[in-house]
């Protein structure tokens, strides 16, 4: 064997240094005796000669070879180990170093000692087993402790009722109302079998066999919460019973797990009939009714033990969600919950539940046939204690604001115990109610005229630059069977009160002909009746059948080319329809949205420009408040604070005030609308006796009439309409009040004026900021060239409201009124007369054009039950 492959064994302790010492210490070539061989104490403890240095060097090398522990040599079988190899207890080189001391065992051997590479980082089976057993043991202990700590809920505790207390804006109490006497627990023997089986067949068929907990449902809730969503309702009747009695509003995983433990305990310690009794006694059935006894009385006027199978199936359907399954509808909570949609949903689920009961053999064939043949129509709504007059609508508006701006559910809210501090001004609410009643009494007589029947009003008053709703009128009151809040529901087209948004859009965006340069309100458009509408590409608007679309005015008066200011004054349709097309209906919509309109938009066809949209009275008052505030807008709000159990609820910060429109655009709109009151269709509002601006509106077939007006302190809208109480379709007001037709400048303006007189009594009259010249004059294509020196007609002393009986046969150029000849001096003396013949135009019966984009419902025929006001759509 070659020499270089046979290496002599190296010293096991002391290394090269020891070898050198051995060579120098024995010239005869004898090896040094192993440490301890002489029996000398110095040998045994490594205190003599140079051996101590060799021991320390070896200790350092051992530490380098075993980075995970300081005593590798004490455990290894290799050099310096404890198992007798060289350098071990009997071998050479046992020195003073710590590496040779006995190892101290670690409680958790990780990283693993004596292992190298990946084995060092792989836990042993002992470690894995120990950790698993420890985890399972801790989990079992945690479950046991949690199970022992939770208590079984009491349906009697859940049935405790408190009032909700509402306060006026000045902090005095408005009303204390709640479900109070509308809660009563009954025992299972007083709950019909049909009611019990209706719930079981519909919600939890395995109720009598399962443990009361649905693991998959809990898993879904955990996953949903992990994704940032909210916890879901219980999947079993047991879990739902626990959820009903768990009064905390917290939405968290900890609550979900606590409910799970309670459900397990309930399932173990209560009998199934007790659980079912608790569930039926604590469930919410809508209309403020908690428990099956209250529900039976609320919907059918009888005790629970008298319910028939058909009625039981109806009440079981409500448990799916009373907002959407009460056939009376809940449009104030959600526009999708209107009466017709709810009735359809209720009938479908009622029929399905009866079918499931029959399939499960819970009712006989004869009982099923008897139950399915007729839907059990429930009683109408009833007013709760204290909910009468306008108080009912004020509380309703505040409640919906609370639900829209917090995590409080309707069921939790109706459990009571809340203090709601509102923005409503008692004096102004009373003044608005008195104004409506006064005009109703003086102008309408349902006993003598059938056309005066079913006339309704809706009104709202908002503070500009703030958004606080200080007054509203919602209808005749809950006590009179009117449960729809007319101040905050959509469905009534606004007519010509929409035209200011078209003018504002023109002053902000210009038209396709001006390349974005703002348009002056002194630009002229053709005001004649029955005109074609020209698209930007030069073609004419067409109907669905391909025929030419014509826009009509309310009268056939020949206005010729008139300024937009004049067209607004006399509320003429044709100029604003063409202007809307020239500006772009999307721009008109955008301006209305920025001003405060959120929902109720109709299709973006030409008629969109003259008010086919159906926003609420609250939203219209708020949008006009943006003009009053020189372009500053704040969302309307009715609640400033909510407390529960003495704790302030989050979510009721006052809405921010935003500059959404150029101040001069808003001021020019205001100046134009001042002229409407001074010289146009809103002259009845001059009786207010102070600076004000406003616009009248009347719709197709005279089905609605509006007036929206404002000062710097207050913006108020008033809507008037007739509605069929059975199908909620709008009816024509032609002949109402004994006149051929109702216009916005008539009864609505009179109501507005009566209210504003009282609401602003004692307040100063600051007027409005002066409007500066804006935009460039850009007349409609085809307009005649203006003459160098226009002639001003002398004002007449008593302007008439009807068009001239003998209009010119040919289009004429308008003789400018003083307001038009005052070169951009919009605050000139406007006491001159008006060009006679103007009426409040509004939506007409023109054919529907083909390019109907958008998704509105502005057909002017049916009053939408959807909520188009404070809470409908993206905000509230």
């Amino acid at each position: 064997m070659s020499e270089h492959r046979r290496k002599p064994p190296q010293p096991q302790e002391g290394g090269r240094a020891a070898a050198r010492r051995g060579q120098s210490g024995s010239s005869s070539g004898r090896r040094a005796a192993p440490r301890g061989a002489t029996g000398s104490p110095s040998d045994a403890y490594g205190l003599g000669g140079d051996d101590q240095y060799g021991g320390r060097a070896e200790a350092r090398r051992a530490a380098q070879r075993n980075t995970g522990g300081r005593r590798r040599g004490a455990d290894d079988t290799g050099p310096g180990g404890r198992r007798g190899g060289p350098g071990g207890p009997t071998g050479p080189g046992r020195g003073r170093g710590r590496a040779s001391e006995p190892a101290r065992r670690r409680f958790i051997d990780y990283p693993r000692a004596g292992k190298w590479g990946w084995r060092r980082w792989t836990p042993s089976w002992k470690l894995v087993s120990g950790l698993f057993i420890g985890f399972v043991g801790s989990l079992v202990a945690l479950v046991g402790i949690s199970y022992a700590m939770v208590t079984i809920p009491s349906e009697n505790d859940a049935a405790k009722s408190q009032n909700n207390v509402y306060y006026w804006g000045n902090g005095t109490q408005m009303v204390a109302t709640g479900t109070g006497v509308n809660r009563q627990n009954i025992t299972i023997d007083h709950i019909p079998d049909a009611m019990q089986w209706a719930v079981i067949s519909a919600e939890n068929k395995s109720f009598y066999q399962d443990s009361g907990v649905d693991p998959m449902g809990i898993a879904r809730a955990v996953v949903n919460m992990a994704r940032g969503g909210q916890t879901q309702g219980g999947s079993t009747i047991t879990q739902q019973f626990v959820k009903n009695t768990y009064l905390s509003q917290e939405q968290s995983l900890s609550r979900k797990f606590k409910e799970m433990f309670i459900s397990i305990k309930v399932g173990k310690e209560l009998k199934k009939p007790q659980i079912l009794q608790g569930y039926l006694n604590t469930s919410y059935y809508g209309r403020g009714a908690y428990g099956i006894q209250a529900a039976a009385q609320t919907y059918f006027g009888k005790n629970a033990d008298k319910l028939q199978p058909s009625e039981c199936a109806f009440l079981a359907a409500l448990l799916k969600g009373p907002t959407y399954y009460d056939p009376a509808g809940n449009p104030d909570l959600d526009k999708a919950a209107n009466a017709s949609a709810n009735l359809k949903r209720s009938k479908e689920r009622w029929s399905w539940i009866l079918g499931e009961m029959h399939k499960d053999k819970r009712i006989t064939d004869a009982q099923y046939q008897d139950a399915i043949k007729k839907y059990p129509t429930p009683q109408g709504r009833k007013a709760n204690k204290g909910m009468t007059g306008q108080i009912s609508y004020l509380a309703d508006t505040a409640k919906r604001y609370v639900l829209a701006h917090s995590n409080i559910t309707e069921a939790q809210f109706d459990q009571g115990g809340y203090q709601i501090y509102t923005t409503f001004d008692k004096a102004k609410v009373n003044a608005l109610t008195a104004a409506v009643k006064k005009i109703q009494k003086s102008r309408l007589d349902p006993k003598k005229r059938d056309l005066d029947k079913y006339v309704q009003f809706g009104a709202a008053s908002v503070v500009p630059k703030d958004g606080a709703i200080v007054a509203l009128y919602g209808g005749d009151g809950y006590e009179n069977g009117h449960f729809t809040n007319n101040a905050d529901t959509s469905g009534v087209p606004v007519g010509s009160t929409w035209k200011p948004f078209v003018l504002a859009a023109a002053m902000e965006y210009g038209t396709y002909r001006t390349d974005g340069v703002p348009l002056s309100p002194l630009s002229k458009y053709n005001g004649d009746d029955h005109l074609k509408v020209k698209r930007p590409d030069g073609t004419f608007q067409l109907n669905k059948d391909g025929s030419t679309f014509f826009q009509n005015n309310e009268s056939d008066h020949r206005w010729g080319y008139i300024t937009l200011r004049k067209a607004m004054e006399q509320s003429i349709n044709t100029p604003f329809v063409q202007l809307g097309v020239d500006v772009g209906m999307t721009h008109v919509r955008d301006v209305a949205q920025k001003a405060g309109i959120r929902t109720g938009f109709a299709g973006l066809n030409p008629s969109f420009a003259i008010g086919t949209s159906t926003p609420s009275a609250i939203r219209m008052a708020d949008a006009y408040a943006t003009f009053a505030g020189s372009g500053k807008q704040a969302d309307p709000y009715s609640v400033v604070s909510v407390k529960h159990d003495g704790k302030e609820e989050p979510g009721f910060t006052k809405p921010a005030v935003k500059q959404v429109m150029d101040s001069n655009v808003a001021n020019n709109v205001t100046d134009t609308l001042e002229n409407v009151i001074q010289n146009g269709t809103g002259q009845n509002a001059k009786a207010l006796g102070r600076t004000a601006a406003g616009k009248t509106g009347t719709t197709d077939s005279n089905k609605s009439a509006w007036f929206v007006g404002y000062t710097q302190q207050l913006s108020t809208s008033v809507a008037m309409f007739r509605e069929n109480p059975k199908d909620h379709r709008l009816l024509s007001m032609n002949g109402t009040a004994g006149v051929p037709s109702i216009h916005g400048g008539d009864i609505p303006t009179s109501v507005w004026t009566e209210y504003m007189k009282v609401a602003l009594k004692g307040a100063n009259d600051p007027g409005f900021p002066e409007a500066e010249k804006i935009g460039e004059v850009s007349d409609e294509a085809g307009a005649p060239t203006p003459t160098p020196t226009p002639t001003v007609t002398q004002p007449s002393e008593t302007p008439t409201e009807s068009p001239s009986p003998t209009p010119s046969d040919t289009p004429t150029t308008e003789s400018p009124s003083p307001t038009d000849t005052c070169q951009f001096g919009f605050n000139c003396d406007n006491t001159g007369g008006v060009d006679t013949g103007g009426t409040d135009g509004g939506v007409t019966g023109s054919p529907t054009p083909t390019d109907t984009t958008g998704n509105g419902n502005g057909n002017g025929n049916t009053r939408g039950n959807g909520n188009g006001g404070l809470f409908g759509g993206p905000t509230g």
Side-chain angles (χ1 to χ4, degrees), residues 522 563 565 790-793 815-825 828:
L522 296 185
T563 64
R565 180 178 174 82
T791 303
V792 179
T793 57
S815 297
S817 69
T819 59
D820 294 329
T821 58
C822 201
Q823 185 65 26
F824 300 107
C828 299

Side-chain angles (χ1 to χ4, degrees), residues 273-491:
Q274 291 177 288
I275 297 173
L276 185 59
Q277 170 187 303
Y279 172 62
L280 292 173
N281 275 334
T282 58
S283 292
Y284 184 63
Y285 296 80
R287 302 191 190 181
Y290 276 88
I292 184 61
Q293 173 65 12
Q297 287 289 348
T298 298
Y299 288 94
F300 298 110
K302 61 174 67 174
N303 290 328
D305 58 3
K306 302 298 183 184
L307 291 170
Q308 298 300 310
S310 181
E311 296 167 335
C312 292
F314 169 88
L315 294 177
L318 290 172
L319 297 176
K320 182 75 172 176
T323 298
Y324 301 98
Y325 288 87
D326 180 356
N330 290 280
D332 293 337
L333 293 178
D334 190 336
K335 64 181 180 180
N338 59 74
S340 59
N342 277 19
L343 178 60
K344 182 175 182 293
R345 280 189 287 262
S346 177
K347 285 184 175 180
E348 289 176 351
R349 186 159 181 83
W350 163 79
S351 176
W352 176 80
I353 290 175
L354 286 174
E356 291 299 301
M357 293 172 68
H358 183 232
K359 184 171 66 176
D360 296 341
K361 301 187 183 303
R362 302 308 182 186
I363 54 176
T364 64
D365 292 344
Q367 288 176 320
Y368 173 72
Q369 293 300 329
D370 182 65
I372 200 68
K373 66 183 179 183
K374 185 179 180 181
Y375 176 77
T377 302
Q379 297 176 345
R381 289 179 178 270
K382 300 181 181 69
N384 291 332
K385 177 183 176 183
M387 299 290 277
T388 58
Q390 294 310 300
I391 295 295
S392 54
Y393 305 113
L394 298 174
D396 167 76
T397 300
K399 173 183 176 179
R400 286 183 287 114
Y401 189 89
V402 169
L403 298 183
H405 291 80
S406 69
N407 293 324
I408 303 170
T409 67
E410 184 185 12
Q412 289 169 341
F413 188 86
D414 284 348
Q415 287 169 348
Y418 292 90
Q419 295 83 48
I420 303 99
Y421 296 84
T422 75
T423 59
F424 303 127
D425 185 309
K426 184 177 182 179
K428 289 181 173 60
V429 170
N430 291 339
L432 184 54
T433 302
V436 172
K437 297 303 181 185
K438 178 180 179 179
I439 301 303
Q440 272 184 322
K441 184 176 181 180
S442 64
R443 299 294 302 274
L444 304 175
D445 192 345
K447 295 181 179 179
K448 292 183 178 180
R449 287 186 297 264
D450 286 342
L451 291 174
D452 288 1
K453 293 180 179 178
Y454 313 131
V455 173
Q456 298 186 35
F457 291 86
S461 196
V462 173
V463 177
K465 299 182 184 179
D466 183 275
I469 306 170
V470 293
L472 56 81
Y473 183 86
D476 291 335
Y478 284 14
E479 72 276 17
N480 293 315
H482 187 82
F483 292 92
T484 301
N485 186 349
N486 292 343
D488 198 26
T489 53
S490 68

